[in-house]
Amino acid sequence: MLDLSLLKKKYREELNTDPLLYYEYEIKKDDVEFYKKFIDTDFEFDKYSYFLSCSEVK
């Protein structure tokens, strides 16, 4: 699981219109290095599309 503070740094521009990062954001090839630090996934962009999707558990 990613720390919200790290996501807020990465998506700081998006926070202007989505302060809680509830929208979905496409993960692109340029984003792989950021996500590789936290998740063990072999991104296959030629086969799949990837998205960041956040939720809250109460």
Side-chain angles (χ1 to χ4, degrees), residues 4 7 20-25 52-56:
L4 183 58
L7 287 174
L20 297 176
L21 293 175
Y22 282 149
Y23 302 147
E24 289 188 339
Y25 296 96
L52 169 69
S53 180
C54 298
S55 63
E56 179 181 26

Side-chain angles (χ1 to χ4, degrees), residues 3-33:
D3 185 311
L4 183 58
S5 64
L6 297 173
L7 287 174
K8 285 184 174 184
K9 286 179 185 176
K10 174 148 182 65
Y11 292 96
R12 63 185 168 273
E13 290 181 27
E14 289 81 355
L15 290 171
N16 292 326
T17 56
D18 182 18
L20 297 176
L21 293 175
Y22 282 149
Y23 302 147
E24 289 188 339
Y25 296 96
E26 185 175 8
I27 297 174
K28 300 176 184 174
K29 290 180 183 179
D30 293 344
D31 300 319
V32 170
E33 291 303 314

Side-chain angles (χ1 to χ4, degrees), residues 34-47:
F34 173 81
Y35 286 103
K36 283 285 195 179
K37 297 174 190 173
F38 309 103
I39 58 174
D40 184 25
T41 299
D42 291 326
F43 292 95
E44 298 181 57
F45 290 100
D46 56 325
K47 293 182 183 179

